[in-house]
């Protein structure tokens, strides 16, 4: 198809317009609802708030302990991201640069873990955590540590698989040049390979952080009132007497800011990293 034809340009504009409306309309409804009072939200829907107010953005911090949930989510997401990337960098470099017995099977096993839905791991992980608590005295249920370990089981296999593909695109001549200069494998990895693979590493960081930040199923089972994360804590705006829809919308907008801001700032690394890793 010729991209300069009027028909193609019209098709492109119509498609982009429809996609923009599909994405932006729910966001506008959230924003408009967050600027309404609760009676206005519960009444007949209107696109424009009759009496706009920012009171819901103030009330969200008092109705539920949103700040505590925010801190829990931040600690869990950052810790899971850092640990998964650290382990994945070393494991991926070994799988990319050395061939040993079972390396191919290990790569296949890592990739195969992405085939199963996460709910299949919920009961085994819970039973394993309970067994660990009863026999080793390490409390993992209802703690941030248990949630971090859980998210590692999701993000680490994907991180290893993706970084292996990305490290394979880094020329091996760089390793040989570093070796001739007297650098060992660790120094080569940290000073040569990691800087060259920055886009892929950043892409893995974004994926791991977003996975941990918005996960609901495991967080709802493995946390309590002290360690509850934002994804689960938003349910607290719904009580037996009422549902504070204006505050739900306001809180949803607030908690999405870190992910959206990080994505916009690092999207060029994300696109480059995913593209290069997918090629291999």
């Amino acid at each position: 198809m010729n991209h300069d034809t009027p028909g193609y340009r019209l098709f492109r504009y119509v498609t982009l317009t429809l996609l923009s409306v599909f994405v932006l309309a729910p966001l506008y409804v959230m924003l408009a609802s967050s600027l309404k009072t609760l009676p206005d939200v519960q009444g007949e829907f209107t696109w424009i708030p009759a009496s706009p107010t920012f009171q819901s953005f103030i009330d969200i911090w008092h109705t539920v302990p949103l700040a505590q949930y925010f801190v829990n989510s931040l600690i869990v997401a950052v810790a899971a991201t850092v640990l998964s990337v650290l382990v994945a960098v070393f494991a991926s470099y070994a799988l990319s640069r050395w061939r040993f017995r079972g390396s191919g099977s290990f790569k296949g096993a890592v990739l195969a873990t992405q085939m199963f839905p996460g709910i299949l791991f919920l009961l085994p992980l819970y039973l394993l955590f309970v067994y660990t608590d009863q026999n080793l005295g390490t409390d993992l249920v209802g703690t941030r540590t248990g949630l971090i370990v859980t998210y590692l089981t999701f993000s680490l296999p994907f991180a290893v698989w993706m970084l292996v593909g990305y490290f394979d695109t880094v020329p091996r001549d760089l390793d040989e040049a570093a070796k001739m200069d007297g650098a060992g494998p660790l120094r080569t990895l940290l000073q040569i390979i990691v800087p060259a693979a920055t886009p892929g590493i950043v892409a893995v960081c974004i994926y791991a952080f977003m996975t941990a930040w918005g996960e609901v199923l495991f967080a709802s089972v493995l946390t309590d009132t002290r360690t509850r994360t934002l994804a689960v804590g938003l349910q607290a705006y719904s009580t037996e007497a009422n549902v504070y829809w204006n505050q739900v919308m306001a809180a949803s907008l607030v908690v999405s800011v870190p992910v959206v801001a990080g994505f916009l700032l690092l999207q060029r690394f994300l696109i480059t990293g995913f593209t290069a890793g997918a090629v291999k």
Side-chain angles (χ1 to χ4, degrees):
M1 178 182 292
N2 188 354
H3 293 181
D4 295 330
T5 60
Y8 177 81
R9 290 198 297 268
L10 177 61
F11 171 78
R12 182 177 62 183
Y13 292 147
V14 171
T15 302
L16 292 177
T17 300
L18 292 176
L19 290 176
S20 299
V21 172
F22 180 78
V23 173
L24 295 178
L27 293 178
Y28 175 78
V29 172
M30 291 177 61
L31 178 61
S33 299
S34 66
L35 297 176
K36 297 178 181 179
T37 61
L38 184 58
D40 290 340
V41 176
Q42 294 176 335
E44 183 178 355
F45 175 77
T46 56
W47 288 97
I48 301 176
S51 301
T53 176
F54 289 95
Q55 186 61 38
S56 59
F57 288 90
I58 300 175
D59 294 338
I60 58 175
W61 305 99
H62 305 290
T63 304
V64 302
L66 189 65
Q68 177 184 337
Y69 300 157
F70 194 95
V71 171
N72 290 337
S73 291
L74 190 62
I75 292 175
V76 169
V78 171
T81 300
V82 171
L83 290 176
S84 62
V85 171
L86 283 177
V87 176
V89 165
F90 289 98
S92 301
Y93 181 66
L95 291 171
S96 174
R97 289 304 192 259
W98 290 285
R99 296 293 180 265
F100 50 88
R101 180 177 298 180
S103 61
S105 300
F106 181 77
K107 292 180 183 179
V110 169
L111 183 60
T113 60
Q114 305 301 306
M115 299 171 55
F116 303 99
I119 193 172
L120 291 180
F121 302 100
L122 179 59
L123 183 59
L125 273 175
Y126 183 82
L127 295 177
L128 180 62
F129 287 174
V130 172
Y131 177 85
T132 303
D133 182 21
Q134 294 177 347
N135 294 273
L136 301 179
T138 303
D139 191 7
L140 295 177
V141 178
T143 64
R144 295 169 181 165
T145 303
L147 205 56
I148 293 171
V149 172
T150 300
Y151 292 154
L152 280 175
T153 63
F154 301 147
S155 57
L156 186 56
F158 177 84
V160 171
W161 171 75
M162 180 174 171
L163 287 181
V164 167
Y166 201 95
F167 285 163
D168 286 343
T169 64
V170 179
R172 295 179 181 269
D173 295 340
L174 296 177
D175 300 65
E176 297 298 330
K179 185 177 181 180
M180 293 179 62
D181 290 338
L186 181 60
R187 181 181 171 188
T188 301
L189 171 63
L190 297 180
Q191 296 185 359
I192 305 297
I193 305 302
V194 169
T198 297
I201 295 174
V202 172
V204 169
C205 288
I206 295 175
Y207 169 82
F209 185 86
M210 293 179 63
T211 300
W213 186 264
E215 201 279 326
V216 176
L217 177 62
F218 286 84
S220 62
V221 176
L222 300 177
T223 60
D224 54 23
T225 55
R226 298 177 297 103
T227 59
R228 190 168 294 161
T229 60
L230 284 170
V232 180
L234 292 179
Q235 300 176 5
Y237 290 105
S238 176
T239 64
E240 295 181 0
N242 214 339
V243 179
Y244 300 96
W245 287 112
N246 56 339
Q247 296 187 37
V248 171
M249 298 303 174
S252 300
L253 291 173
V254 169
V255 302
S256 64
V257 168
V259 174
V260 174
F263 180 83
L264 293 177
L265 291 173
L266 302 174
Q267 62 177 337
R268 63 188 182 93
F269 293 103
L270 183 66
I271 296 173
T272 303
F274 277 143
T275 303
V279 171
K280 296 297 292 185

